[in-house]
Amino acid sequence: MKTTFNLPQKAGRNGLGAGVWNLGPGTDPFGGPTREAIPILDRLPILAQAGMTYYEAHDVEIPASQVGAARKRAEELGLQCGMYTPSFFADPIFKDGAMTSNDLAIRKLGLKNAMEAIDNAAVLGASTVVFWNGREGFDFVLTKNGQEAFKRLVEGFNLVGQYARERHGTSIRIALEPKPNEPRANMYLATVGEVLYLISRLDPSLQALFGVNPETAHSRIAGLDYLWDVEMCLEAGKLFHIHLNSQDGQRYDQDLPFGYTEPLKDLALLVVLQDAGYENILAFDIKAPRTDEPKNIADIIEVSAQNLVWLWERALAVDRAVIQQLREEKRNTALAGYLGKCLYGR
Ligand code: 3MF
Ligand code: MG
């Protein structure tokens, strides 16, 4: 068994996480699988072998009926469930959204699934439930009343928050994951800023239960800077979880290995996380490419983890006094050069 990846001097929970969906059969919108699908519970040993401490899963991957078996399998492997999430995007019933559907019966079903996911998370031992805004949005204007849709989100999350607090106190927290488009043309909760605004509109007594799960590539798809997005979450005390990956420009969602496209920005991100004493889990949301052979399916996990550990070590060595001095001297370009020096190890 490979040793697990750890981040020296990280505050709070150490070890890295990845989703079981990261090890898919290679399907894309234009072509079917290029590898045989690995049964979900058989993906757990692959994640453990690749050096992960945490796994993440959707309710469609580990449904209630499988929760006990997943828990047992994970325990045997020394893996922990880092995050559990209801899938509001896979089932055709949610094709026009769950919480923002125009159909009351579908909104109710969405809430039921959300509450079940909270209970499953508790059994699996996950302290975070993520809600990704997969189908919450619109492709054609005026198909939903936007103001009404936002109110439905507020109402829905209030009910989910109430349920989580009643059943599990503060042991389960809820992190909303923004994305601007894909699969919908326009998605509600498109950015970190929108999620923070939504949280500010929730019942004040429930707001502490809600935070953000920013994903670096999603900020990039929105044309935004992921470091600033993360800093906004930190400033608000709302960085509950993070999905790390790379994105090669403003195009379809790629889920590339972390540290691949913008290593200098990733280095800066880690400096910020270190200085903030970020205590929660660092997880990857990456996609094993359809060109990788079945035997190499975990390469993307190991490459991401290795890049992260190397960058983390480089970030620890960044001299904060030099940053401060260059800021005071108003030498912005020289500061970029200093980070380059740290990145290239010169
Ligand atoms: C899509 C995503 C999702 C979410 C996941 C967790 C399938 O771009 O990022 O991954 O991370 O649903 O809630
Ligand atoms: Mg994600």
Side-chain angles (χ1 to χ4, degrees):
M1 170 89 52
K2 263 224 176 77
T3 50
T4 52
F5 287 96
N6 270 297
L7 301 171
Q9 296 173 49
K10 180 179 179 301
R13 300 177 81 174
N14 213 319
L16 305 175
V20 291
W21 67 91
N22 295 176
L23 303 173
T27 325
D28 75 12
F30 304 96
T34 58
R35 296 177 289 257
E36 208 172 306
I38 303 169
I40 296 295
L41 295 193
D42 292 343
R43 299 183 194 187
L44 299 181
I46 301 176
L47 292 176
Q49 179 68 29
M52 295 298 100
T53 299
Y54 306 102
Y55 72 96
E56 312 194 331
H58 295 87
D59 55 0
V60 287
E61 291 151 349
I62 303 183
S65 61
Q66 287 284 302
V67 156
R71 192 188 153 133
K72 186 165 170 287
R73 194 82 187 265
E75 269 168 16
E76 285 161 9
L77 293 160
L79 269 183
Q80 298 166 49
C81 186
M83 180 275 263
Y84 188 77
T85 177
S87 157
F88 285 165
F89 53 93
D91 194 316
I93 189 115
F94 296 129
K95 63 181 183 237
D96 205 7
M99 285 202 190
T100 65
S101 165
N102 285 334
D103 184 334
L104 175 64
I106 292 176
R107 294 205 295 278
K108 281 192 175 155
L109 184 63
L111 277 179
K112 184 173 159 279
N113 285 11
M115 290 168 185
E116 275 169 18
I118 302 268
D119 292 336
N120 289 346
V123 178
L124 289 169
S127 54
T128 306
V129 169
V130 164
F131 285 85
W132 171 54
N133 59 343
R135 303 270 174 200
E136 309 295 3
F138 58 96
D139 306 306
F140 299 103
V141 288
L142 297 187
T143 48
K144 286 179 188 165
N145 175 324
Q147 296 146 79
E148 202 50 49
F150 193 83
K151 288 194 184 84
R152 288 173 189 159
L153 287 171
V154 172
E155 248 171 57
F157 283 120
N158 273 338
L159 289 169
V160 175
Q162 237 165 33
Y163 180 85
R165 186 175 57 190
E166 272 165 30
R167 299 285 293 246
H168 307 286
T170 52
S171 63
I172 303 245
R173 299 198 301 177
I174 298 162
L176 312 186
E177 178 177 330
K179 190 177 182 187
N181 56 266
E182 204 186 338
R184 305 311 296 269
N186 303 280
M187 278 146 75
Y188 303 127
L189 306 181
T191 62
V192 164
E194 276 184 45
V195 168
L196 290 175
Y197 172 62
L198 176 95
I199 295 172
S200 79
R201 293 283 305 275
L202 297 179
D203 174 347
S205 75
L206 292 169
Q207 285 180 17
L209 279 185
F210 286 86
V212 191
N213 176 35
E215 176 163 324
T216 46
H218 292 180
S219 298
R220 275 312 195 204
I221 295 169
L224 297 173
D225 183 291
Y226 51 85
L227 179 47
W228 164 229
D229 271 351
V230 167
E231 288 195 278
M232 246 192 296
C233 296
L234 287 168
E235 200 282 332
K238 293 296 186 189
L239 190 62
F240 282 12
H241 199 80
I242 190 166
H243 270 172
L244 298 171
N245 51 9
S246 293
Q247 174 71 20
D248 198 0
Q250 216 173 344
R251 60 175 82 185
Y252 68 92
D253 190 6
Q254 296 176 296
D255 294 327
L256 294 167
F258 177 73
Y260 169 60
T261 54
E262 298 184 81
L264 192 133
K265 195 180 293 289
D266 294 334
L267 174 72
L269 171 68
L270 301 185
V271 168
V272 165
L273 290 175
Q274 287 171 0
D275 290 353
Y278 174 70
E279 291 191 341
N280 302 320
I281 295 173
L282 290 160
F284 301 115
D285 194 353
I286 46 191
K287 184 173 181 178
R290 73 200 306 270
T291 47
D292 276 356
E293 299 294 324
K295 67 179 184 343
N296 303 322
I297 194 166
D299 278 2
I300 192 159
I301 311 266
E302 290 181 36
V303 167
S304 297
Q306 188 58 76
N307 285 347
L308 173 53
V309 171
W310 282 332
L311 281 167
W312 181 270
E313 285 165 357
R314 292 250 183 255
L316 285 173
V318 169
D319 188 342
R320 274 52 171 185
V322 173
I323 296 182
Q324 198 47 43
Q325 191 190 336
L326 292 170
R327 281 181 184 172
E328 278 161 23
E329 291 172 2
K330 304 187 169 91
R331 295 190 63 199
N332 294 354
T333 310
L335 176 38
Y338 174 62
L339 287 178
K341 185 174 170 211
C342 296
L343 174 67
Y344 300 121
R346 308 304 290 228

